Amino acid sequence: MFSTVLIANRGEIALRVARTCKELDLRVVAVHSTEDRDSAVVRFADEAVQIGPAAARHSYLSVPAIVEAALRTGADAVHPGYGFLSEDPVLAEECAANGIVFIGPPPGVIERFGDKTAARALMHEAGLPLLPGSLHALGTADEALAVADSIGYPVIIKAAAGGGGRGLRVVPEPAAFARAYQETRAQAQTLFGDGRVYVERYLGSARHVEIQILCDAYGNGVHLGERDCSVQRRHQKLVEEAPAPALPDGLAERMGESAVRGALAAGYVGAGTFEFLVAPDGSFSFMEVNCRIQVEHPVTEMVTGIDLVREQIRVAAGARLAFTQDDVAVRGVAIECRLNAEDPRRDFAPAPGVLTRFEPPGGPFVRVDTHGYPGYRVPAVYDSLLAKLIVWAPDRPAAIARMQRALDEFHITGPGVHTTAAFLREVIDHPLFRHAKHDTAFVAQFLAADPHDPGGSV
């Protein structure tokens, strides 16, 4: 096992990783920008290192700064969390070159899955079902148009290096394709430094269901059930739950088996997530792999009792998986709501500021993953996620009721500060969500029905 783990991240995930490290009796090093010098993880860690200014590209996205901090503090492992450099093969390579363990998959695996076209081709070879589309990056607009015409509209153009709901565009008809193609390529180049794109069939009505997997370095792999992430706004997840409700019998198990097969075929090591789209007819199609811990990992932890970060660390330290597929049992229902510092009444514009009141809910089977506290200044330069509220109950109606109560109990105030709590309360109270009839188009339909009152603020 390691002696010191450096956490190359910020916010709630940095604090969540640090807590598991402490339980494993590991020394914790936090890195931070000038903007985050008073953050919760800095207060919690055994040692903190300032790695740069507020701009992420000069701090949390700086591979040299992260590696230097690890070497200076004697860290023998780096946990990247999610976002930032969590799926950057360069950081994994530099860690290895300096004798530091990167708590994640091997660099080659990260690189293959980071290229969405390479991932599609690899999973096609492994026998996973794909949406119709290209298995390689496309060149000219005419070549891409020919693919789109062959698979039928609507189609979606995606950046090969994309992720996080960015670098994609839906095209409803051929007349709109050429312009959308050029715009998506330009956006991909700006966002990711890589203008390559591909085209696949777009499902306007589908469920977003993902499978959590764990693999060790000895060829063992398991899945920990599925999560439904269909409640999204502009491809950004808002509500997640485990297990996914109202799936056809046997579908979740088939998806889980496919995910493990794909992971082992790729030589995956560590925790990861295979994302699928489930069509109304019950068919499923591979979308992508996230080579990191997910924002929504707590719902899986709540229904399985398995600490995913602990397993990440164990596997990275060379341990075999401590359990087999038969040992994994899913009990009850867990739901997670992401509370962002955004104002729903202003098209979800960021709403940072100093928290004068921050009172998380409590009670049985309620978990809050957050870096917020009274007096904390929510910065304007980073992602707006402020807290994740997770509840568990024996069944879905009880979990929804518990989430409603917990959202009502969560009090966050401050000058200029707004959150999405009241909006989320309305979302989970909606009949489509309550009866598990929602899909990825649900939030857009919900907002279109009442665009002037998308939830209040808390």
Side-chain angles (χ1 to χ4, degrees):
M1 183 55 77
F2 310 117
S3 62
T4 301
V5 175
L6 181 142
I7 302 170
N9 217 295
R10 65 174 301 278
E12 66 84 17
I13 188 60
L15 186 57
R16 185 265 174 274
V17 172
R19 285 172 167 150
T20 288
C21 287
K22 286 285 191 177
E23 292 172 10
L24 290 170
D25 197 27
L26 303 178
R27 183 169 167 269
V28 174
V29 175
V31 297
H32 64 92
S33 69
T34 53
E35 188 79 9
D36 280 336
R37 60 170 61 93
D38 295 323
S39 66
V41 72
V42 168
R43 297 179 174 193
F44 183 87
D46 296 292
E47 185 174 357
V49 179
Q50 182 172 301
I51 55 171
R57 67 182 180 276
H58 297 308
S59 52
Y60 299 110
L61 290 172
S62 173
V63 172
I66 297 294
V67 173
E68 180 186 350
L71 293 172
R72 194 167 72 190
T73 58
D76 44 1
V78 168
H79 195 299
Y82 56 69
F84 292 130
L85 295 170
S86 62
E87 295 178 282
D88 188 335
V90 175
L91 175 60
E93 291 167 353
E94 287 299 309
C95 283
N98 285 276
I100 302 165
V101 175
F102 178 81
I103 300 177
V109 173
I110 298 174
E111 190 167 11
R112 284 195 294 275
F113 281 131
D115 184 326
K116 307 307 181 188
T117 56
R120 277 174 59 84
L122 179 60
M123 293 301 98
H124 177 70
E125 292 176 7
L128 274 66
L130 306 179
L131 287 169
S134 53
L135 292 176
H136 57 84
L138 299 169
T140 66
D142 288 341
E143 179 188 0
L145 180 60
V147 172
D149 289 343
S150 69
I151 64 177
Y153 293 83
V155 299
I156 186 167
I157 306 170
K158 293 185 174 181
R166 302 184 301 166
L168 16 113
R169 200 154 301 196
V170 176
V171 184
E173 57 187 6
F177 187 87
R179 179 176 179 178
Y181 183 74
Q182 298 299 344
E183 289 177 347
T184 307
R185 291 187 67 176
Q187 183 186 46
Q189 184 64 44
T190 299
L191 290 174
F192 311 112
D194 184 342
R196 295 176 306 126
V197 299
Y198 65 100
V199 175
E200 68 181 23
R201 172 86 51 80
Y202 177 69
L203 292 180
S205 177
R207 298 271 298 279
H208 184 145
V209 180
E210 60 189 29
I211 302 291
Q212 177 70 57
I213 59 104
L214 280 170
C215 299
D216 63 23
Y218 307 96
N220 303 306
V222 299
H223 69 84
L224 278 66
E226 81 282 7
R227 300 184 288 251
D228 187 291
C229 306
S230 301
V231 180
Q232 303 177 7
R233 178 179 174 273
R234 297 176 181 170
H235 305 287
Q236 296 290 319
K237 301 167 188 174
L238 303 176
V239 179
E240 302 98 351
E241 62 180 303
L247 291 183
D249 289 344
L251 178 60
E253 188 58 34
R254 293 197 299 275
M255 294 171 67
E257 292 171 354
S258 294
V260 172
R261 183 169 70 251
L264 295 180
Y268 201 94
V269 178
T273 298
F274 277 64
E275 303 204 349
F276 298 93
L277 284 178
V278 177
D281 64 2
S283 62
F284 68 96
S285 303
F286 169 80
M287 279 200 303
E288 63 182 21
V289 177
N290 296 124
C291 298
R292 52 176 168 78
I293 198 77
Q294 291 277 88
V295 178
E296 57 271 22
H297 76 273
V299 293
T300 295
E301 293 182 328
M302 296 285 268
V303 296
T304 63
I306 295 171
D307 183 332
L308 286 168
V309 173
R310 181 187 182 95
E311 294 307 312
Q312 277 189 299
I313 295 170
R314 288 187 66 259
V315 166
R320 292 178 180 270
L321 289 180
F323 47 84
T324 67
Q325 191 64 61
D326 290 340
D327 298 321
V328 178
V330 173
R331 297 181 177 86
V333 173
I335 300 175
E336 173 181 292
C337 283
R338 302 188 189 190
L339 275 71
N340 295 329
E342 298 173 349
D343 188 350
R345 297 182 186 277
R346 294 193 300 122
D347 195 29
F348 296 84
V354 176
L355 304 180
T356 55
R357 184 185 185 191
F358 189 84
E359 298 176 8
F365 307 109
V366 173
R367 167 177 168 178
V368 179
D369 284 16
T370 183
H371 56 293
Y373 57 86
Y376 174 62
R377 181 172 56 83
V378 180
V381 293
Y382 305 121
D383 184 87
S384 60
L385 180 63
L386 181 58
K388 299 180 329 197
L389 175 58
I390 310 102
V391 303
W392 179 92
D395 55 53
R396 192 167 187 266
I400 291 174
R402 181 159 287 153
M403 178 59 78
Q404 290 175 318
R405 186 270 298 169
L407 283 168
D408 288 343
E409 194 179 330
F410 210 145
H411 298 292
I412 306 170
T413 58
V417 174
H418 299 266
T419 81
T420 52
F423 169 74
L424 293 168
R425 176 71 161 78
E426 293 184 22
V427 165
I428 65 169
D429 196 39
H430 195 283
L432 286 178
F433 183 84
R434 280 183 167 276
H435 298 294
K437 301 293 185 183
H438 59 293
D439 57 25
T440 53
F442 164 61
V443 171
Q445 296 166 350
F446 174 72
L447 291 172
D450 194 1
H452 302 296
D453 188 25
S457 61
V458 176

